[in-house]
Amino acid sequence: GQTVEKNSLARYVFEKNEPLFIKDLEQHPELAALGAPDRYRSRTCILLPLSGSRTYGVLCFADPSLDVFMEEDFPLLKTVTAQVVRGYENLLLQEESVQRKAIEKEVEITSRIQQNILPSHDPEHMHLQLGAKSVMARTTGGDFYDYHVHSPNGPVTLLVADVSGKSLPAALFMAISSSILRTIIRTENDPVQILSKANDLLYEESQSGMFVTVFLARYDPHTNLLRYASAGHNEMLLLHADGELEMLSGRGHPLGVLPSHRQKYIGGERQIRGDDLLVLYTDGVSEEHDADNEEYGLDRFIQLLKAERKKDPDEIIENVYRSVLDFTGSDLQSDDFTMLISRFQGALRGARQ
């Protein structure tokens, strides 16, 4: 904000943004009232706006040793003032450059952390076709997805997650969350227990108040049973081959908010049919807004999924992504975009091992 006094000569020059050279204030009645007697005792002054890309303030020169400013003083002081402004703006540009480089470096580190967390290759499974995509927003967030194939013909665990906060702190907490979940998934079969155990470990690590929402599902092709649980995540979608849609939800706080002895995770299960689609996603898919602040919305998302459901999961995801960007009218997202789609083949592929 500005700190130039109101009802003063400095304010007058600041608002006019023009230099002022007064040899005798008494000869300018309209200005004399603005000149404080204790500040302009000699009644002669030079005021110069500190003006560059914008006006920063005003330099006031008064009470010269000879009681009057000479004509040559005015251009000299204007030159000095211009140098002061130029030096100040160069300093601002240097500071902005340093800050920009620091932000760019942080974004680079954050992006590298996220990319290292995401699976590096598609899973090989005899009963499942999977597609996934995660695109960071320009502010960098904390979305991630993961899957673990327990055996090529056995159970598969799938999850999407969204860490609170932005940038490097979110990326570091995301790395911790992903590591904990991956470790527990390898030894625990029940989605509710996976979230409960992960929550207790993350609660110990989350002294900064950060948390992560998670939706986790485990599919067993031998029984065609899908079991799932949610830690504060939005509802997921199960689109059956006949077009029927089910919303999958669970109960429980995000991981890291409360210890498990003070809450209880409640999940669910569904019987899977051949060619069903499980759609896991984060809120950056459905909650993007256009220029008029209209939300993309769940209904629009579901209608597109139904229209695209016969295509490969990767193609469906890419079409949803393009649809969201077209809706917003921009290639710059305000939130991360993360989707994981699984098409279940049931017992149609492979033999039971």
Side-chain angles (χ1 to χ4, degrees):
Q2 310 300 339
T3 58
V4 179
E5 295 179 37
K6 294 182 178 179
N7 302 320
S8 66
L9 275 176
R11 170 61 67 177
Y12 175 84
V13 171
F14 181 86
E15 292 179 348
K16 290 285 188 180
N17 196 26
E18 294 177 356
L20 184 66
F21 179 15
I22 300 176
K23 292 184 178 180
D24 186 355
L25 272 172
E26 302 308 325
Q27 296 181 10
H28 302 273
E30 74 281 7
L31 299 178
L34 301 177
D38 61 334
R39 187 172 296 172
Y40 303 100
R41 287 187 293 270
S42 68
R43 314 307 283 166
T44 182
C45 57
I46 294 176
L47 291 90
L48 302 169
L50 294 167
S51 182
S53 58
R54 66 183 182 87
T55 303
Y56 301 99
V58 176
L59 277 180
C60 302
F61 301 92
D63 299 335
S65 58
L66 298 179
D67 291 332
V68 64
F69 284 109
M70 308 302 290
E71 289 292 342
E72 58 266 26
D73 292 334
F74 189 45
L76 175 62
L77 290 175
K78 284 202 296 184
T79 300
V80 171
T81 301
Q83 293 297 323
V84 169
V85 172
R86 186 174 297 112
Y88 180 66
E89 291 195 325
N90 285 339
L91 179 61
L92 289 179
L93 288 173
Q94 289 177 7
E95 290 180 348
E96 290 174 2
S97 177
V98 169
Q99 293 174 356
R100 184 168 58 253
K101 288 179 180 178
I103 292 172
E104 290 172 353
K105 186 64 176 178
E106 185 170 317
V107 170
E108 178 187 344
I109 294 171
T110 302
S111 177
R112 193 180 304 136
I113 290 173
Q114 187 182 46
Q115 293 306 315
N116 288 340
I117 287 171
L118 298 177
S120 58
H121 56 83
D122 293 336
E124 295 182 4
H125 196 271
M126 301 173 70
H127 304 273
L128 177 143
Q129 184 184 14
L130 186 143
K133 186 182 186 75
S134 187
V135 182
M136 281 201 314
R138 60 186 181 275
T139 52
T140 69
D143 281 13
F144 66 95
Y145 67 87
D146 206 353
Y147 44 76
H148 179 64
V149 176
H150 298 268
S151 71
N153 196 37
V156 182
T157 302
L158 312 154
L159 70 88
V160 291
D162 188 355
V163 174
S164 65
K166 297 291 182 184
S167 201
L168 191 55
L172 295 174
F173 193 71
M174 174 173 59
I176 295 171
S177 304
S178 174
S179 178
I180 287 174
L181 285 164
R182 281 180 175 176
T183 301
I184 298 173
I185 284 170
R186 281 160 171 76
T187 58
E188 177 60 60
N189 297 329
D190 184 359
V192 167
Q193 289 302 312
I194 292 173
L195 294 185
S196 181
K197 292 178 179 180
N199 176 66
D200 286 337
L201 292 172
L202 283 170
Y203 181 74
E204 296 175 5
E205 298 288 340
S206 184
Q207 299 304 316
S208 61
M210 299 190 73
F211 59 85
V212 55
T213 68
V214 181
F215 191 96
L216 184 144
R218 180 183 170 93
Y219 170 63
D220 187 344
H222 301 153
T223 61
N224 279 334
L225 187 66
L226 181 75
R227 292 188 296 164
Y228 58 87
S230 175
H233 206 74
N234 43 304
E235 293 180 312
M236 299 293 98
L237 308 174
L238 179 60
L239 186 58
H240 292 290
D242 60 4
E244 178 190 356
L245 177 70
E246 290 191 73
M247 309 289 288
L248 307 183
S249 63
R251 288 178 55 189
H253 289 283
L255 304 185
V257 175
L258 289 173
S260 294
H261 71 266
R262 293 181 55 189
Q263 63 163 326
K264 185 177 182 181
Y265 290 103
I266 299 175
E269 59 182 46
R270 292 290 187 276
Q271 200 67 35
I272 294 298
R273 297 165 242 167
D275 212 30
D276 283 353
L277 285 181
L278 175 65
V279 181
L280 307 184
Y281 64 99
T282 57
D283 54 15
V285 175
S286 59
E287 296 181 7
E288 284 285 342
H289 291 78
D290 65 8
D292 298 322
N293 206 34
E294 180 184 351
E295 188 176 82
Y296 185 80
L298 186 60
D299 289 342
R300 195 188 313 267
F301 179 36
I302 290 174
Q303 290 305 312
L304 180 58
L305 288 173
K306 288 183 175 181
E308 302 277 328
R309 69 164 314 280
K310 293 187 181 298
K311 297 178 180 178
D312 288 341
D314 279 325
E315 187 176 357
I316 297 173
I317 293 172
E318 192 60 35
N319 289 342
V320 171
Y321 181 61
R322 296 314 313 175
S323 173
V324 171
L325 292 184
D326 289 345
F327 176 80
T328 62
S330 171
D331 286 336
L332 297 176
Q333 309 153 223
S334 62
D335 198 0
D336 290 4
F337 176 101
T338 300
M339 277 187 72
L340 180 67
I341 294 184
S342 306
R343 171 171 277 117
F344 302 107
Q345 304 294 346
L348 298 178
R349 294 185 182 179
R352 181 167 179 172
Q353 295 178 347

